[in-house]
Amino acid sequence: MKISRQGYTHYSDGINNQDFYYTEGNMKMILDGCSDSKYSEIGTRLFVQLFATLPNRTKLECFEENVKYVFDKLLEQFKFWYKSQEDLENFIMDNLLFTIVACFETENSFVVKLFGDGYVVTVNHNDCVSYIKHYYGRRPTYYVYKYCELIPNNIFKEYEFKTFTFSKEDFKEIGIASDGIAPIVKYDSLKTFDDIITSKLKSDYTAEGVILSNIQSFGDDVTLVINQDIKNYEKSKNEEET
């Protein structure tokens, strides 16, 4: 299940869908652009295009290094166009503010890497769905702040990815979502969503249909990736062997 829909407030205000997602083999990743930035949808899509070229992009142990590598190379190129640090940081603020949530399936677990706001969606072996919220308040932490020299008392330079491990003994599937999914967590009227995720509901309803029929409840862009009943780890492992 892969969903990314423009939020109603963004639609009303003429703001593009700033979320983006990327999936391949045993990994899935969501990028959530900053609503206050002018062009953060450009940053999310540009980052994914560059990340997708890396040869070891689906390896958990390389993920944090890969993220740093993409940002290092990207900003190195833009220094040609923006000669002063102030101009470079203005470009960063306009284009490159986005949170990152990634999930890797291994042989025995699911490992989530998170930098900034987002949700982890868990499904246990009893088909109970939980939404784990990670929230920084009014000012989420963005990875690219590490490259900003002009932010006063820039504590964000010290921030690192948060890592969460979910054993397959306890969980059958782990999904990831942007914080735009909050209305699903908040309103009981949208709990049909849980049944769709676990395939309990045998009807014409779809997860995307639930969002669209309640779109005015979703002010922010909403993105969810959860590959229920798909053995991504085995698929990825077999591809490497061949």
Side-chain angles (χ1 to χ4, degrees), residues 50-66:
L50 299 178
F51 185 91
T53 67
L54 301 178
N56 54 0
R57 57 191 173 274
T58 63
K59 292 184 178 180
L60 169 61
E61 64 272 19
C62 298
F63 178 71
E64 294 186 38
E65 179 183 344
N66 285 339

Side-chain angles (χ1 to χ4, degrees), residues 46-47 50 67-85 87-98 142-149:
L46 179 59
F47 179 89
L50 299 178
V67 171
K68 182 179 185 301
Y69 181 83
V70 171
F71 275 116
D72 283 351
K73 294 301 181 182
L74 184 61
L75 289 169
E76 183 179 308
Q77 294 297 315
F78 280 112
K79 285 180 180 180
F80 174 83
W81 302 98
Y82 300 99
K83 306 297 184 183
S84 72
Q85 184 66 21
D87 288 343
L88 179 64
E89 292 193 22
N90 285 335
F91 172 82
I92 287 173
M93 298 301 174
D94 285 343
N95 294 271
L96 298 178
L97 299 188
F98 51 85
Y142 298 111
Y143 190 93
V144 80
Y145 282 158
K146 291 176 174 290
Y147 299 86
C148 295
E149 304 293 338

Side-chain angles (χ1 to χ4, degrees), residues 7 9-11 13-19 32-41 44 93-94 96-99 117 138 140 142 145 179-180 219-222:
T9 301
H10 280 191
Y11 168 77
D13 294 343
I15 301 174
N16 293 329
N17 182 356
Q18 297 170 321
D19 287 1
D32 183 357
C34 174
S35 295
D36 291 334
S37 292
K38 292 181 179 179
Y39 318 112
S40 63
E41 74 275 11
T44 56
M93 298 301 174
D94 285 343
L96 298 178
L97 299 188
F98 51 85
T99 62
D117 293 345
R138 293 177 60 86
Y142 298 111
Y145 282 158
D179 58 3
D220 196 5
D221 305 325
V222 54

Side-chain angles (χ1 to χ4, degrees), residues 15-220:
I15 301 174
N16 293 329
N17 182 356
Q18 297 170 321
D19 287 1
F20 204 54
Y21 68 78
Y22 174 74
T23 65
E24 183 178 359
N26 65 313
M27 71 92 66
K28 43 189 174 270
M29 177 168 60
I30 284 175
L31 311 176
D32 183 357
C34 174
S35 295
D36 291 334
S37 292
K38 292 181 179 179
Y39 318 112
S40 63
E41 74 275 11
I42 293 176
T44 56
R45 288 147 178 79
L46 179 59
F47 179 89
V48 164
Q49 290 181 78
L50 299 178
F51 185 91
T53 67
L54 301 178
N56 54 0
R57 57 191 173 274
T58 63
K59 292 184 178 180
L60 169 61
E61 64 272 19
C62 298
F63 178 71
E64 294 186 38
E65 179 183 344
N66 285 339
V67 171
K68 182 179 185 301
Y69 181 83
V70 171
F71 275 116
D72 283 351
K73 294 301 181 182
L74 184 61
L75 289 169
E76 183 179 308
Q77 294 297 315
F78 280 112
K79 285 180 180 180
F80 174 83
W81 302 98
Y82 300 99
K83 306 297 184 183
S84 72
Q85 184 66 21
E86 181 178 3
D87 288 343
L88 179 64
E89 292 193 22
N90 285 335
F91 172 82
I92 287 173
M93 298 301 174
D94 285 343
N95 294 271
L96 298 178
L97 299 188
F98 51 85
T99 62
I100 305 172
V101 189
C103 179
F104 292 82
E105 182 180 354
T106 70
E107 186 172 6
N108 300 310
S109 65
F110 299 93
V111 180
V112 174
K113 295 281 187 177
L114 192 149
F115 205 105
D117 293 345
Y119 278 85
V120 180
V121 184
T122 68
V123 183
N124 68 18
H125 292 290
N126 294 320
D127 280 339
C128 293
V129 181
S130 296
Y131 301 88
I132 302 173
K133 180 179 181 180
H134 198 79
Y135 183 59
Y136 277 90
R138 293 177 60 86
R139 189 176 186 182
T141 175
Y142 298 111
Y143 190 93
V144 80
Y145 282 158
K146 291 176 174 290
Y147 299 86
C148 295
E149 304 293 338
L150 303 182
I151 296 177
N153 303 315
N154 188 357
I155 61 173
F156 301 106
K157 283 192 173 185
E158 307 303 320
Y159 282 33
E160 300 296 339
F161 274 94
K162 305 292 185 182
T163 302
F164 306 91
T165 301
F166 300 87
S167 171
K168 287 185 175 179
E169 291 184 1
D170 301 315
F171 298 97
K172 62 189 295 185
E173 184 57 64
I174 298 294
I176 52 177
S178 64
D179 58 3
I181 203 174
I184 292 171
V185 182
K186 182 177 180 181
Y187 298 116
D188 289 339
S189 60
L190 297 179
K191 285 305 179 183
T192 300
F193 208 90
D194 293 2
D195 291 335
I196 295 171
I197 286 178
T198 59
S199 302
K200 286 182 181 179
L201 191 64
K202 304 300 182 182
S203 72
D204 293 331
Y205 289 110
T206 65
E208 190 162 14
V210 171
I211 292 173
L212 289 175
S213 62
N214 296 275
I215 193 62
Q216 292 190 21
S217 297
F218 294 89
D220 196 5

